[in-house]
Amino acid sequence: MARLLHVLFLAGSACAVFGQETTPTSVKVVKSDAMEMKSGDPAPTPSAGGATAVALGDFTSAPAVKGCGDLKEQPRLDCSAEKVLAAIRGQVGAPALDMKAFGASPVTVTFVVNQFGDVKDIRVEHPGDVALNKAVTLALYGLPRLVPASKGTADVIASLQFKYPYSELFVKP
């Protein structure tokens, strides 16, 4: 049995929407052979500095900071996270927040690397240190041009995301 639904909306101009619901007369069951499925990459593990690093986008090779481009997959990202951390440490002054209260809180740094290796759209999420945004932004724009992500033979846009403990940003070498 079929039902017909008519709705009329008036919001400055008339617009009519019609829908029809029908009851199926037969159901077709489709079966397929069993297949093995593999889960995605596991959650990134913290590197030596306590950072976690991920790359986001559609690529076969993730973007990387200069000096990390010869590495593959997670080691490439971990190397980039360490180099970005070193650059941030070179820009930050004294911490504005109490280390006992905020030292373990995460600071997430996310940015886009375009197909030319330029850093764009920097975002810093942290517990409340206002000067940290400026220092991280200056550090990232001060990096040499990055190795862009690639898909096949083409360079593509991708994002890098590093998560550091707040206290790690202020460790001086």
Side-chain angles (χ1 to χ4, degrees):
M1 179 182 220
R3 272 192 323 186
L4 191 56
L5 174 68
H6 299 275
V7 179
L8 180 63
F9 293 101
L10 297 172
S13 65
C15 174
V17 177
F18 297 94
Q20 185 171 351
E21 181 182 311
T22 61
T23 305
T25 56
S26 66
V27 176
K28 184 175 182 179
V29 177
V30 178
K31 293 184 179 182
S32 65
D33 295 333
M35 67 173 86
E36 183 177 336
M37 299 192 69
K38 182 179 177 184
S39 68
D41 292 337
T45 56
S47 64
T52 57
V54 295
L56 310 165
D58 184 20
F59 52 81
T60 52
S61 181
V65 175
K66 296 284 185 187
C68 302
D70 292 337
L71 299 171
K72 303 289 183 213
E73 299 175 1
Q74 196 62 44
R76 179 182 183 115
L77 296 173
D78 292 340
C79 174
S80 294
E82 291 298 320
K83 290 190 179 283
V84 167
L85 180 59
I88 292 170
R89 286 174 174 164
Q91 283 291 329
V92 297
L97 301 174
D98 178 48
M99 284 298 187
K100 286 184 181 178
F102 294 98
S105 62
V107 176
T108 304
V109 178
T110 307
F111 57 95
V112 172
V113 179
N114 70 13
Q115 67 271 29
F116 307 109
D118 299 321
V119 172
K120 304 285 182 191
D121 302 327
I122 299 168
R123 291 184 310 276
V124 181
E125 298 172 26
H126 59 87
D129 185 343
V130 177
L132 190 59
N133 277 342
K134 183 177 180 181
V136 170
T137 301
L138 288 172
L140 291 175
Y141 282 136
L143 290 172
R145 188 167 274 175
L146 277 68
V147 177
S150 62
K151 184 172 184 179
T153 59
D155 291 336
V156 296
I157 298 171
S159 295
L160 288 172
Q161 183 179 73
F162 304 128
K163 191 176 288 189
Y164 306 102
Y166 181 76
S167 62
E168 284 296 314
L169 301 177
F170 301 95
V171 174
K172 298 296 180 190

